[in-house]
Amino acid sequence: MTSRKWVQFFMKTLVIGAIITLIIGLAFDVNEYALFIKRGEYIKVALGLFGLLLKGLLYSVYSQMGFFAYLTIHRFGLNFFKSIRLWNIVQSVFIIFALGDLIYLRYIDVAHGKGSILSYLIPSFALLVVGVVVASYKAKATNKDAFVPALFFMTVITIVEWIPALRINQQLEMFYMVTTLLVCNSYQLLTLHKTLKS
């Protein structure tokens, strides 16, 4: 990839992250922004929108760091195991453990092992569904061996990128971040091969 292509790729992902977070923020706080506008408190509106844009840019940077880290990990895994099939088995094991840990560790840490575990299943299940859909598109666009690496990236790497919001444990912040990460990760994964060919 040339430096020009990389800069374009980076900037497009930044813009996508900012726009997604801005849309989600406006959707959740539309009444609050409407009230500010009605009162003529335009500075609060501007500061709120600016804050959302900054969050989106930050989440996008997390996404891009995770993506390029994964490209390095993937290359290392291929070189170490000498077989795409064996490396895919290893990645599949990591996917199972990561999704399981997202359920169990959060249940223990947040709910202290009390109450229903059902609400802690939803994030893992949602990540898995999105991951399978995106990985299926990636496999169709490139080759069938790309499915497991794509699923690994969309689940395991997204969970790692999501850790700052998981630690805070504020539902809205977690939703902002994971949605932006998933969109940015999907964009990068599904367009990288096109960017390299162009």
Side-chain angles (χ1 to χ4, degrees):
M1 181 183 288
T2 63
S3 58
R4 182 180 60 83
K5 287 182 181 178
W6 181 82
V7 169
Q8 289 177 347
F9 191 72
F10 177 82
M11 294 305 295
K12 285 179 182 177
T13 310
L14 271 183
V15 170
I16 289 168
I19 290 171
I20 292 299
T21 307
L22 185 61
I23 290 170
I24 296 169
L26 286 172
F28 276 99
D29 295 327
V30 65
N31 292 331
E32 186 177 353
Y33 283 109
L35 187 61
F36 288 153
I37 291 170
K38 188 176 180 181
R39 292 176 180 171
E41 298 174 332
Y42 300 112
I43 293 177
K44 287 185 178 180
V45 175
L47 289 175
L49 296 179
F50 183 68
L52 288 172
L53 285 172
L54 284 181
K55 276 185 186 179
L57 294 172
L58 181 62
Y59 297 160
S60 172
V61 170
Y62 281 150
S63 170
Q64 295 189 64
M65 287 169 57
F67 185 62
F68 286 102
Y70 175 67
L71 292 177
T72 303
I73 292 167
H74 183 62
R75 182 53 49 196
F76 174 80
L78 287 173
N79 290 336
F80 183 80
F81 291 103
K82 308 294 184 185
S83 164
I84 185 68
R85 289 186 179 180
L86 182 57
W87 174 226
N88 281 348
I89 290 170
V90 172
Q91 288 180 100
S92 299
V93 172
F94 276 112
I95 291 167
I96 293 166
F97 273 105
L99 292 173
D101 283 349
L102 183 61
I103 299 166
Y104 180 73
L105 294 180
R106 288 200 67 243
Y107 179 63
I108 295 300
D109 186 49
V110 177
H112 306 292
K114 298 176 183 177
S116 174
I117 199 170
L118 183 62
S119 62
Y120 297 92
L121 289 168
I122 295 170
S124 284
F125 181 73
L127 273 178
L128 181 60
V129 170
V130 172
V132 167
V133 171
V134 173
S136 297
Y137 276 107
K138 180 69 174 181
K140 286 178 183 177
T142 54
N143 63 73
K144 63 180 182 179
D145 288 330
F147 179 83
V148 173
L151 184 59
F152 181 94
F153 174 67
M154 291 301 298
T155 53
V156 177
I157 301 300
T158 299
I159 290 170
V160 172
E161 294 166 349
W162 197 19
I163 286 174
L166 291 173
R167 284 182 176 168
I168 296 170
N169 196 40
Q170 293 177 352
Q171 295 296 323
L172 192 56
E173 196 65 36
M174 287 167 58
F175 182 76
Y176 280 163
M177 189 171 192
V178 75
T179 305
T180 306
L181 288 174
L182 285 172
V183 173
C184 289
N185 286 347
S186 300
Y187 169 76
Q188 292 177 98
L189 194 62
L190 296 175
T191 58
L192 179 64
H193 60 280
K194 296 176 185 175
T195 304
L196 294 174
K197 287 179 181 178
S198 64

